[in-house]
């Protein structure tokens, strides 16, 4: 068997188009475009690249982008004061604080200070709680993007066996909650799981969010399984070069799976597209309007 490749780039482009199409409706109703504020503290080069691409994507979708770049030595009180101002700013529908934060800042306190209704990253405990009890709320972008790819590929997920490898608050746990909401039978595996290959072999759906290059191999998979590879790992490729690989060994997995996301080009492009989607959804909800279907 050779697995179908799940093209996250194409799906993400479609989602961005749907987001951009929703913006004029919002503007017509409220007189302004949805706004996303991104806060970067310090000069971490990878974070700076993410913030730049988020800002560009926000503008490309016809939305307002507010970038706040703070010095690496910024204190917690100053950052909390900025978040307070963004919470109160009617032009801001979404607030994203780029992680990681410098060591003098308490990440939990900062995330807790964001208005949950503007928490487009979905990391606030109120949104984690809403997801856990099945209430409407903002859901972390990467797992929501994975779910969109799964539903696009498989349609109905009810009754399927899903194994999520990884239990982080930003990927593994919300992914498991989303799959449970779709009535999958969900197993969460982690570093203490015994016989991980045996657990994975039960799964119709495998989501790997581990951070270990090419850990999941084809012989772990049930034939025909759908594999979502969240991992982004940079490995040596000889001659001083590097390349990106996922948590799944693509070649061996593709020989057994029914469908699989590549790295790059699978889950990665979904994250920013879902961030834009969350911003528009937050904007409609804050204005007391119903967001268009298909977002
Ligand atoms: P974390 O490091 O927070 O979590 C990793 C999880 O993997 C932990 O729950 C850990 O278990 C588990 N784990 C580690 N080693 C093993 C092992 N040998 N066997 C089974 N489980 C193991 O990572 P994140 O969730 O933040 O990210 C995971 C991956 O996804 C990374 O590669 C990251 O770069 C990528 N990522 C990609 C995004 C995208 O946009 N595509 C966005 C976010 C992340 P335990 O809890 O027991 O320690």
């Amino acid at each position: 068997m050779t697995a179908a490749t799940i093209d996250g780039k194409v799906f993400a482009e479609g989602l961005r188009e749907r987001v951009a199409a929703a913006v004029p409706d919002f503007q017509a109703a409220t007189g302004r475009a949805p706004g996303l504020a991104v806060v970067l503290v310090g000069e971490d080069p990878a974070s700076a690249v993410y913030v730049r691409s988020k800002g560009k994507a926000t503008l490309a979708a016809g939305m307002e982008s507010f970038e706040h770049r703070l010095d690496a030595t910024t204190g917690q009180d100053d950052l909390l004061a900025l978040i307070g101002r963004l919470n109160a700013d009617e032009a801001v529908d979404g607030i994203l604080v780029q992680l990681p934060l410098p060591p003098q800042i308490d990440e939990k306190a900062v995330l807790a200070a964001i208005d949950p209704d503007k928490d487009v990253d979905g990391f606030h405990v109120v949104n984690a709680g809403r997801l856990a009890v099945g209430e409407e709320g903002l859901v972390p972008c990467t797992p929501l993007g994975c779910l969109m790819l799964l539903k696009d590929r498989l349609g109905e997920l009810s009754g399927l066996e899903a194994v999520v490898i990884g239990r982080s608050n930003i990927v593994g746990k919300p992914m498991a909650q989303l799959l449970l909401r779709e009535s999958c039978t969900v197993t969460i595996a982690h570093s203490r799981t015994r016989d991980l290959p045996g657990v994975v072999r039960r799964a119709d759906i495998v989501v790997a969010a581990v951070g270990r290059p090419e850990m999941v191999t084809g012989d772990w998979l049930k034939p025909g399984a759908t594999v979502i590879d969240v991992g982004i790992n940079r490995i040596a490729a000889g001659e001083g070069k590097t390349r990106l690989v996922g948590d799944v060994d693509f070649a061996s997995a593709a020989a057994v799976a029914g469908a699989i996301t590549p790295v790059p080009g699978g889950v990665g492009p979904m994250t920013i597209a879902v961030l834009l989607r969350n911003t528009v959804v937050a904007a409609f909800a804050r204005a007391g309007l119903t967001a268009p279907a298909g977002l």
Side-chain angles (χ1 to χ4, degrees):
M1 181 185 295
T2 303
T5 299
I6 300 174
D7 193 331
K9 239 173 125 180
V10 166
F11 190 94
E13 268 164 30
L15 179 57
R16 282 182 194 223
E17 280 165 18
R18 295 197 293 283
V19 168
V23 168
D25 292 352
F26 180 82
Q27 231 161 349
T30 64
R32 66 175 185 87
L36 172 64
V38 180
V39 180
L40 173 65
V41 186
E43 277 103 40
D44 176 59
S47 294
V49 170
Y50 289 138
V51 165
R52 235 189 336 270
S53 42
K54 284 168 188 172
K56 263 174 74 178
T58 306
L59 294 173
M63 300 196 277
E64 286 262 31
S65 168
F66 308 101
E67 263 182 48
H68 295 268
R69 290 166 180 268
L70 306 183
D71 196 85
T73 58
T74 300
Q76 168 125 341
D77 290 349
D78 287 338
L79 180 55
L80 291 177
L82 171 62
I83 290 177
R85 288 196 297 279
L86 296 174
N87 283 341
D89 188 340
E90 276 310 311
V92 173
D93 298 292
I95 302 170
L96 182 150
V97 178
Q98 186 65 45
L99 302 179
L101 289 166
Q104 75 275 15
I105 292 177
D106 176 359
E107 199 169 286
K108 270 193 190 161
V110 170
L111 295 181
I114 297 172
D115 176 349
D117 295 335
K118 295 189 177 188
D119 169 40
V120 284
D121 250 344
F123 295 163
H124 195 290
V125 287
V126 165
N127 281 318
R130 286 170 175 163
L131 179 60
V133 299
E135 282 179 18
E136 282 291 311
L138 291 162
V139 176
C141 302
T142 301
L144 184 54
C146 294
L147 184 75
M148 287 176 179
L149 293 178
L150 281 167
K151 288 175 85 166
D152 184 58
R153 170 80 203 165
L154 296 172
E156 180 62 50
L157 306 185
S158 175
L160 296 179
E161 286 271 355
V163 172
V164 179
I165 318 173
R167 55 174 163 178
S168 71
N169 291 334
I170 61 169
V171 189
K173 281 187 201 145
M175 187 73 244
Q177 295 284 3
L178 286 168
L179 290 164
L180 188 59
R181 201 171 75 179
E182 297 298 323
S183 299
C184 292
T185 301
V186 183
T187 302
I188 307 177
H190 45 75
S191 67
R192 306 294 177 91
T193 297
R194 291 185 193 157
D195 184 22
L196 185 57
V199 170
V200 171
R201 214 166 282 129
R202 295 204 300 258
D204 304 302
I205 293 170
V206 180
V207 181
V210 187
R212 307 228 170 236
E214 301 176 320
M215 183 183 83
V216 177
T217 48
D219 57 328
W220 292 23
L221 299 174
K222 176 172 164 177
T226 303
V227 179
I228 303 290
D229 189 353
V230 184
I232 302 176
N233 310 288
R234 193 165 282 285
I235 61 166
E239 296 171 7
K241 292 191 179 145
T242 62
R243 67 188 175 98
L244 287 184
V245 296
D247 291 339
V248 178
D249 173 38
F250 188 87
S252 67
V256 182
I260 183 169
T261 57
V263 177
V267 174
M270 291 299 293
T271 301
I272 289 186
V274 177
L275 173 66
L276 303 177
R277 177 260 177 209
N278 279 358
T279 304
V280 163
V281 166
F284 274 90
R286 291 184 59 252
L289 301 166
T290 308
L295 285 180

